[in-house]
Each structure stands twice: as C-alpha cells, then as structure tokens.
Amino acid sequence: MSGSLNGNSASSGGGATGAGGDDFFDQMLSSLPSPWADLANPKSPWDLTTGANAPGSGEDCGGYDESALLASRLRQHQISGSGSPAGAKPMMLHQMLMSAAGRAPGGGAGAGAGGAGDPSGFFPLPLSLGRDDVEGAFKSPNGTGAEGLFNGYGGGLPGAAQANNQPPFHHAQQGAPMPAQNFGGAAPNAGAQAPAPAASGGGAAAPPRQRVRARRGQATDPHSIAERLRRERIAERMKALQELVPNANKTDKASMLDEIIDYVKFLQLQVKVLSMSRLGGAAAVAPLVANMSSEGQGGSNGAGGSDSSLTVTEQQVAKLMEEDMGSAMQYLQGKGLCLMPISLASAISSATCHPRASASHLGGGPAAAAAHHLILPGPQAQPNSNNHVNPDGPSSPNLSGLTAQSAMANGNADSHKDASSA
Amino acid sequence: MQALHFLQALARIARAAPKPAHSARTRQIRHAAYASMAHSSRSSRRTWSRALLHRLRQRQQQRPGRLLTVRRRVRIVTPITSRPEEPARAETLRQLVPGGRGMEYCNLLEETADYVQCLRAQVQLMQTLLDAFSS
C-alpha cells in the first residue's frame, strides 16, 4: 500500500511539479503547513513524490492558507473530544495529512480522525515527527493546552528536529521561520477555544506538577487539569479523615470539616484532662520504667503490692526462673512487675519523694522485661545480671534477684527488696 | 515508640520535680505527652511534629526566664493561608494543628489526619496508664 501510494505520488508528483495540475500534489502541498511541505523535501530517505521540485513548491507553501485548515482540524479534533492532547497532536497531524491525501485516491483510507495506520509510506514521517513534537511540546514550558499545541509545534519542531539526530527532519531548520509565522497565524484563527486557554495556560504559573493529561479529554486546559487534580486530592484526604474521625456520616464537606475540628479540639482537651488527673494517682508516678529492649512486650500492667505479697512473689518468680524464663516473665507480667537491668533501674530509680527511699530504690514500671536482661550488663550488674535492688542498703553484689516495681499509686514508692535466689 | 518516650518522660518528671505544684505538674505532663507524640517514629517526618516540637521548645525557653525576650517565629503567611477555594473553617483547623499556618489546604488535611492519629494514640496511652495505676 505504501509502495503503491508512493508510486502514485511519484507519478502524480512528477506531473504536478511540472504543470502543477495534479490534484494530489496541489492539495497535499496546499493543505500542509510549510513544515510538512518541507517534509516532502528530498532530504529524507523516504523521499517523496515531490522530489526535486519540492524546494520550489515548499517555498510556495508559505502563502497557502494552512491556518484555516489547521483551525478546522483543531476544532474537529476538539469536538470529537478524542483522548489526550498527546494523542491529539499526532492525530491532528495525521488528520491533516490524511485529509490532504485523502482527496487523493490512495489516501482515502486514512481520512478521518485517529488514523489507525498510514496508508502511505509518506505518513510515518510526519506522524513520528508529531510524536517528537508532542514530547518536545510537553517539555516546553508552554504547557499542554491547545496553546501548547501551537507553540509546541513552532518550538517543538525545530527543537525536536534539532534534538533528534534523525536525518528526515532536516525540514525543521528550514521550516522554523515558517511554522512560527504560520502557527502564529493559525492560533488566532483556531477559534475561541485555542486562544483563551492559550492565554491562560501560557500565562498562568500552573503548578509545575501538572503534566498530567486530561483523562477524559474534556479539558486540555492546564488550569482545569490542575484544578481537577487538586480537588481530587482534597477529596481523597477528606475521605481518609472521615474514617479517622467518628461520626463520619456527614456527607457534607462543610459539616465534615466542622466535625474534624471538633474532634481535634476534643482530643486535645482529653490530653489536658488526662495530664491533670494523672497527678492524683501519680504524685509518685513513680519513675516508670520502660524497658528499652522490651518495647514489644511493653504493656501497662498495673502495679502495686505490699511487701508481703512481694516476698511471696519473689520466691515464686525465683522458682519459675529456674525452670523457664518465659514463664517467670509471664508471671511477673501478670502481677504487673517487671524485670530490668540494674543499670536501668538505678538510672531511673529516684527518690520518689520518699525519705525512706534509698538510692537503690526502684520505681515500678509496667514494662515487662525481656530475656535480654539476663545478658544485659550493667555497671552493678552481676554475672547473673538479673536485676536486683536492695533497698536496705548498698546492693549486695552477690545477689541476683528480681526486681519488682514499687507501687506508685500510693504515692509511696515502697522499697521492695527482692531476695536473691542465689 | 510513642509509649516508650512518654514513659521515660514521665519518669523524668516524677524524678525531677517533687514539688506537687499541681499546675506545674500538669503542664509538665502535658508537655511530655506532646513531646512523645512528636517523637513517635511515624510522625517524625511530619510537618506538624516539627512545628510542635518547636512550639514546645519555645514554651520551655519562655518559662524559666520571663525576663528573656520571647522569640516568636514570625512568618508571613497571609498570602498563603487564605485561598478562595478553602472553606471558612480551614483557618480554625490551621490554628489547631501545629504548623498548620504555612501549609496549603491539601497538605493541611493530610497533616490533620496524621495528627489525629497520633493524638488518639496518645490519649489511649495515657488512659491506659491511668487505669493501670489507679486500679
């Protein structure tokens, strides 16, 4: 097919150049904007019909009214609302070429929008050029709108051509002055749609991240694309917030916002209240011990105990420890006690306002100790490395024992001594 | 992570200030709560957490020496804050969420979601501790 058309073109082109009477050639040249005409120049391996006479005819093209054609094509395309601007450009190009060639017998298949394939070998040339243009135009700061379409061609053509090393596109250098003027002429003619978005799209400092193409093809205007994206993002976030905030049955955005605000205020108030109420029981909020190595196991266990129970507990735990560390831990946890390294204990233990409290006084913490303790060395740690606190005096190093946290709620950090099971 | 930090802060408080000044204690605890919120691993990358820490530090510096000049963070946010498309309540939200003044509406919503999550976690944590210690 391509070959046949080339053949046709060749024959008709030959005739056209001489007499200019061949319909195909004339139409092609007249409908094509000058760069396209230049395309027909023999600079490319896909040398076309026009061949030798192309230069002459190419220069003539400048006078042709391709602006009108461009305008009509653009309108047609936009009305058809086909796809993205990216697709629009090659399609528009294609359309132009197709319609130009369409009048010719060979190109009839290509008439219409969105050419599926090129009926001729001639067309891949501009089509691929179009793609390059598309990219060039997109990268150009002119935006993706219709205005970009025009400017993109003007800027993109020379840019793309020069950027590419593809020999076929030599035209661009020649065509640079032409397309600029043509497109300049074309733009105003393109109708209300093009200039308006052109002005706004070009002038507006649309958020630079708006390189997204309009999905539904309704708006190629970068402004509206940006707007739409922004709205979608906001809606997304609102939905996420709705899930977080209780009472999210409000569908109204305004009331939803009110709800969110109220909820945030409520939470902040809760923090305030809780920090006040904690004082009551937490005057001694005894140095809570949070065990570093047992974050995972950390749980708030209630702590409290009297001396007697603690002694019993200790013995119990000691027994358990002999068998299995895990069970010992669990037992401790159940009682709200914890096991911690001596270093940590001494670091945290403070005289919890209790005169009786000795230096080694230990405040209880809800954290559960991990088995790591056994290995954790502390400054006073013993080979056994179990925590040990001897409230009565300097800890006897030989003792290994468990530490139970002291009660807090009472405000007294009672010193609990853990008997060593050594 | 959040809990850990909070507990440590509480320990520090209990240890450091035996004076039962109610208000002072309250304030310190609240401070610790917010600090631990800001330090939690999931929120350390957030704008609000940085703004919150900054605010806390400001308050702390303010406290001890009232003679010191208060350094306020001055930001010209007027052009950014109010946009035509925002609902009216957005300004309130900006005041509530730390660091909300400099953000666009879109980011504000995201930060709010994260802030709410952290707040909830903190409240739950404090509640649990309270229950644990009082029972």
Side-chain angles (χ1 to χ4, degrees), chain A residues 179-203:
Chain A
Q181 113 197 15
N182 290 336
F183 292 139
N189 294 341
Q193 215 162 359
S200 58

Side-chain angles (χ1 to χ4, degrees), chain A residues 66-97 99 113 144-151 153 183 185-198 217 220:
Chain A
E66 53 286 321
S67 61
L69 183 72
L70 264 178
S72 65
R73 290 288 160 254
L74 182 63
R75 256 184 249 116
Q76 199 179 42
H77 159 66
Q78 283 183 338
I79 289 174
S80 68
S82 45
S84 57
K89 290 182 192 180
M91 272 193 317
M92 181 182 132
L93 274 175
H94 215 187
Q95 281 180 35
M96 284 181 344
L97 299 170
S99 61
T144 63
E147 171 257 358
L149 199 64
F150 292 117
N151 287 351
Y153 283 121
F183 292 139
N189 294 341
Q193 215 162 359
T220 48

